[in-house]
Amino acid sequence: MKNIATPNYPDLAETRFQELCDWRNVTRHKVNQDRTGWDYLLEFERDRITGLPHDKQPGSAAARIQVKSKAGGSTSTSVKLSNALRFTREPDFCFIVLFWFSKDGLSEKIYARHFHEPLMEAALRRAREADRDAVDALHRIRVPIGFTAEDDHSGDLIEWMRGICDRQPENYASDKRKLAEGLGYNDSRIHGKFTVRREDLQTLIDHSVGLAPVAPIESVIFQDKRFGIDARIPVFEGKPTVSHINVAPQPASLTVTGLSGHSATIDGEMRSFALPGLPLATARGVFSSPTLNVTIQGDGHFGISYNLQADTPYALSSLKAFCDFQRASRSPMTIRLNVANMPPIETTAPAQQSKDDDWFRWLGAVADCLSLVCRTDNAPTFTIQQIVDQEDAILRFVDSVIDGECTVQFTLDREIEPLSGLRNLLGYVMVEIGEFTFWAILRRPCLRYETEGLRHVVVFGNPVILDGVAVRSSMQLQRETVQERFKKLSQQIGTGSMAFNGGNLSALGGESLDINLVGFGQSAPIR
């Protein structure tokens, strides 16, 4: 019987591959030293783009190929884990090509896979398992690679590889690097655990919500977890010099309703923390806002502290909400804390008294009056100190726009006809606080008018704001705008109106003023 020599399948596969490259006129570079798993480096020339200059034409695309061969059996192969990791990190395109021959030598198929996400993930997962098991000889570990009918490229191998290289963006290398760095990490890369002495648990809870400066951590270990497997060597293990643990805040609002009928809602954020197995009284929660903080214990105890600083900028809306809270808290009250994704917390509290109550009442009146001229698109901010610095000007503004009758007495240097048709007092008032100017144009209806000789007494009713705004600008720059607007509104209102010094209400109370009468046909100096 004559012996038939067994074909040299590895060399036959490489010969077939070289022929395919030559038929498609693809530049191939055979690897002389087979140390890193590559058999060939291919260069695919890219088509020139019409209209682009020479220096901006795309260069060739490089692809690294490992050629495998197999006679009979399943359509699968394997590569060393050390090489698979190189394929994962390699910035060029990478392909695994299998020449599969039937045992009788009558048929031949070519399978190929792009070494991308699925194969990269398999290599990285196996590498992490080897690290866990303290196996460092990665060249002794095989990574299986299977092929299906979809991977059969017997008739289009070179063109298929060229197509992948052509359709990928120019930043393929950076995208592949990011993919290799991110595969296997789901929610986070680092996780860990720490130890605390039992007697320090309450301090830990307090610290987590901001009630203690430092976390009393005895030891900590941080580990890199990939594919659910911890790295053999921790990122850090030991006792930290300083430790901080902060609970993520949740949007929240605090609503206070007093028996007096006053109510207030303050927006802020909530941090809360409790340890399973400990008494409920050890749990802590802290509601924080720009103007006040509320501490909540697990047993339901509420503690409220103010957070006003003289030089800290506050939004007018925050100051108004704080002043509304002050009003509501002067009587027994119900406190309701609403936290996102949590059931509301509710309790009652007795009336709160403050040694600064008179000042808070004044600040509340200021906040109310300034808010009257703020539109929805205004967001004025200023400090408490800036309010104090402008106290006199603010008082004039408040007196002008707050409800209440206004009595004007004046004496003329000559007799005039009684102002029997007087209907309104018109005027404007301005105040500058920090970077913002507040102004209001208002009308007060005439309630009573009396005259005796040269002396005149007029009583006007509650003010009606005709126009107003808070704007980031100086009062000097705004004055002309306000005066023009006042003049226009005065003309629209018509006859029977009185104004002083061109409408400037801040001038009331002076020794010498000008009275302006609309519709009476006269104007006279007042002393």
Side-chain angles (χ1 to χ4, degrees):
M1 183 176 180
K2 185 177 180 180
N3 292 328
I4 301 177
T6 302
N8 184 343
Y9 290 113
D11 286 351
L12 182 59
E14 292 205 18
T15 300
R16 293 275 199 275
F17 182 76
Q18 293 176 25
E19 290 176 350
L20 291 173
C21 291
D22 292 341
W23 275 106
R24 294 295 185 272
N25 195 25
V26 174
T27 303
R28 53 179 170 80
H29 304 278
K30 171 69 175 167
V31 176
N32 294 322
Q33 292 180 304
D34 187 6
R35 293 182 178 179
T36 57
W38 301 117
D39 296 313
Y40 292 92
L41 177 68
L42 302 189
E43 292 185 67
F44 292 102
E45 293 295 332
R46 291 179 174 175
D47 295 335
R48 288 182 59 84
I49 300 176
T50 303
L52 282 184
H54 300 313
D55 56 296
K56 290 193 174 183
Q57 292 292 335
S60 61
R64 297 173 185 262
I65 317 297
Q66 185 174 76
V67 177
K68 294 285 190 178
S69 63
K70 188 175 184 179
S74 64
T75 56
S76 62
T77 187
S78 64
V79 297
K80 296 177 182 179
L81 178 57
S82 56
N83 287 339
L85 290 176
R86 289 190 182 98
F87 303 165
T88 298
R89 303 186 189 104
E90 176 57 51
D92 289 336
F93 296 91
C94 304
F95 297 93
I96 305 294
V97 178
L98 172 66
F99 283 82
W100 183 88
F101 302 93
S102 63
K103 286 188 175 181
D104 58 12
L106 298 179
S107 62
E108 168 188 331
K109 289 188 176 182
I110 305 173
Y111 295 92
R113 290 184 66 178
H114 178 204
F115 202 97
H116 205 54
E117 185 169 350
L119 295 180
M120 290 169 62
E121 182 174 350
L124 293 169
R125 183 187 297 274
R126 189 66 186 91
R128 179 52 63 100
E129 292 171 347
D131 181 82
R132 175 197 61 196
D133 300 334
V135 177
D136 295 327
L138 301 185
H139 63 286
R140 296 182 179 178
I141 300 176
R142 307 295 297 188
V143 177
I145 299 177
F147 300 88
T148 66
E150 294 180 354
D151 303 317
D152 187 348
H153 295 286
S154 301
D156 66 344
L157 176 64
I158 303 301
E159 292 307 314
W160 171 74
M161 289 191 293
R162 183 196 299 274
I164 289 179
C165 296
D166 281 344
R167 74 170 179 259
Q168 297 293 335
E170 295 297 329
N171 55 352
Y172 174 83
S174 62
D175 289 346
K176 184 178 179 181
R177 175 180 55 79
K178 292 177 183 178
L179 184 62
E181 292 175 351
L183 285 171
Y185 293 107
N186 296 324
D187 298 330
S188 62
R189 295 172 179 263
I190 305 297
H191 78 109
K193 58 183 178 180
F194 57 86
T195 57
V196 181
R197 294 182 302 177
R198 178 173 292 273
E199 56 267 30
D200 291 332
L201 288 177
Q202 186 62 66
T203 303
L204 174 67
I205 295 172
D206 292 346
H207 167 77
S208 68
V209 296
L211 298 177
V214 179
I217 304 299
E218 285 295 304
S219 63
V220 66
I221 179 171
F222 292 115
Q223 292 181 295
D224 181 290
K225 176 173 284 190
R226 195 173 203 179
F227 301 106
I229 304 171
D230 287 336
R232 191 189 338 170
I233 301 175
V235 176
F236 175 82
E237 184 175 14
K239 181 178 176 62
T241 304
V242 178
S243 301
H244 296 285
I245 300 175
N246 298 315
V247 175
Q250 297 294 324
S253 63
L254 182 75
T255 298
V256 178
T257 304
L259 289 180
S260 62
H262 294 292
S263 64
T265 297
I266 297 177
D267 294 325
E269 56 187 23
M270 178 72 176
R271 290 178 172 86
S272 60
F273 190 64
L275 286 176
L278 292 185
L280 182 60
T282 64
R284 293 290 184 270
V286 172
F287 170 83
S288 302
S289 77
T291 54
L292 62 80
N293 298 328
V294 179
T295 303
I296 308 166
Q297 297 183 5
D299 57 8
H301 175 76
F302 272 60
I304 301 176
S305 60
Y306 301 146
N307 193 30
L308 288 179
Q309 304 293 328
D311 296 325
T312 299
Y314 296 99
L316 175 58
S317 57
S318 294
L319 287 178
K320 187 177 185 310
F322 175 78
C323 294
D324 290 342
F325 167 82
Q326 286 292 324
R327 292 190 187 98
S329 66
R330 294 186 187 113
S331 64
M333 56 185 162
T334 299
I335 302 175
R336 182 183 179 90
L337 182 62
N338 295 293
V339 185
N341 304 317
M342 289 179 59
I345 304 171
E346 189 169 300
T347 188
T348 58
Q352 304 293 309
Q353 298 297 326
S354 171
K355 64 179 181 179
D356 299 316
D357 194 56
D358 290 341
W359 188 84
F360 285 137
R361 289 177 187 271
W362 177 81
L363 182 61
V366 171
D368 287 343
C369 292
L370 295 179
S371 298
L372 292 175
V373 299
C374 285
R375 301 169 183 169
T376 55
D377 57 344
N378 299 145
T381 59
F382 38 77
T383 69
I384 299 296
Q385 187 60 54
Q386 288 169 338
I387 294 177
V388 173
D389 291 342
Q390 295 295 323
E391 181 177 358
D392 292 341
I394 291 174
L395 283 175
R396 289 192 294 270
F397 186 93
V398 171
D399 289 342
S400 297
V401 301
I402 198 170
D403 281 348
E405 294 183 356
C406 171
T407 301
V408 179
Q409 301 182 31
F410 54 90
T411 302
L412 302 180
D413 58 358
R414 60 185 173 84
E415 289 189 8
I416 64 172
E417 292 293 328
L419 305 176
S420 56
L422 182 59
R423 297 168 54 194
N424 300 296
L425 171 65
L426 303 180
Y428 66 85
V429 62
M430 305 178 68
V431 63
E432 183 176 347
I433 308 176
E435 298 180 354
F436 287 84
T437 293
F438 296 78
W439 60 262
I441 299 173
L442 50 89
R443 173 183 67 84
R444 284 180 178 269
C446 178
L447 302 181
R448 294 187 303 277
Y449 169 63
E450 300 174 358
T451 180
E452 182 179 347
L454 300 179
R455 183 173 176 271
H456 298 257
V457 178
V458 189
V459 179
F460 296 99
N462 293 334
V464 177
I465 295 179
L466 305 176
D467 196 4
V469 74
V471 60
R472 189 188 295 271
S473 177
S474 68
M475 191 163 65
Q476 181 179 358
L477 293 177
Q478 286 295 304
R479 190 176 299 279
E480 183 176 349
T481 300
V482 175
Q483 290 172 342
E484 288 295 326
R485 181 62 176 153
F486 173 75
K487 181 179 179 181
K488 184 176 181 180
L489 288 174
S490 299
Q491 293 171 349
Q492 292 176 356
I493 292 174
T495 61
S497 297
M498 170 184 288
F500 296 99
N501 270 16
N504 186 1
L505 294 177
S506 299
L508 284 177
E511 294 184 357
S512 179
L513 302 174
D514 285 336
I515 180 171
N516 309 110
L517 302 173
V518 180
F520 295 96
Q522 53 188 329
S523 176
I526 302 173
R527 290 193 300 272

